[in-house]
Amino acid sequence: LEDNLIARGETSGGLNRKLTKKTKKMSESEFEIESWIDKFRLHSPKTRLILLSREVCEYLLEDNLIVRCGEADDDVSSDSETDESEDESSGAPATKTIDSFPELKREVEEAIQVLGGAVAPKVGSKSPVDASWANFNGQTKCKDFSEVLLLMKASDRVADDVSERLSLGKPTFLILRKWSSLHPSMEFRTFVKHRRVQAICQRDDEQHYQHLEDDAQKIQQAIEGFFNDTVKEKMSGPEYVMDVYVDNASRVWLIDLGPARDTTDALLFTWAELDSLDADSPLEFRCVLDLSRQAGASQRESKPKNSINLYLSCK
């Protein structure tokens, strides 16, 4: 499920917000998936966490993108043997391959089987959506260890997160979630402030979905109810961001949690708007308008992207 979320930039502009001590504390603990997944296991996609060793983390940061497996064809095996011989003769460390991490391979493949045969991987706080081009299916759907490792190695997002965690001495987890094909129109970013839901917008902020205009109130009520019944009492802080998915039965699933700060994309809002909300502000739901009603197709294509990113705002 997680993997189907639309990738966004990690900042929402030049606004430099200062966090309260409480929010700082949450950003370091409660927003790490290993801290909250057990609280919401019945309300989140099936997930397995695997702690990565420093050796694996350092391997992920190496420039070499070649992933070799023991079942590779003769040519690849021959190349691998040649490389290893060269390494030995030069005194350099042997090149690591997929078979250099047998315990990790075993854990990953066991998790894939438990999770139904296909998973969406994530490392730390980042999904390797920027590396989907490296996978045969063009997605981050993985059916074996070699596909998981290839995506992790190819992703700049993953590399940045792993590098930061190593420098801070923080543990790095490989997160595997049961693969499901989600409709991006039903993925929502929810902004919590004053311990209540105060703003919701569609996660895919570049597409118009007509049904969101028609179903705005129903979706808003489902997410607000989920927060009040399931999330509110299990989170200590007054301010944070939730990514959720609403299925065909109007059941809400918690996908991710994050800090309410400008390292989290505000999407159809701005952080200046969100910061201005007080405890009595009405809940606001935003979705992208049908741009064809604002201008003809040829006109729209000739306009800068930012000038046509209009939205419907429902209070």
Side-chain angles (χ1 to χ4, degrees), residues 5 45 56 58 66 72 103 140 165 177 184 252 274 286 295 307:
L5 291 180
V56 172
E58 291 175 345
I66 299 174
E103 181 62 21
T140 54
R165 288 171 182 274
R177 279 185 159 171
V252 181
L274 295 169
R286 290 183 178 179
S307 71

Side-chain angles (χ1 to χ4, degrees), residues 298-309:
S298 60
Q299 290 177 293
R300 284 163 36 214
E301 290 174 1
S302 67
K303 291 183 178 181
K305 172 183 170 182
N306 289 343
S307 71
I308 61 172
N309 194 25

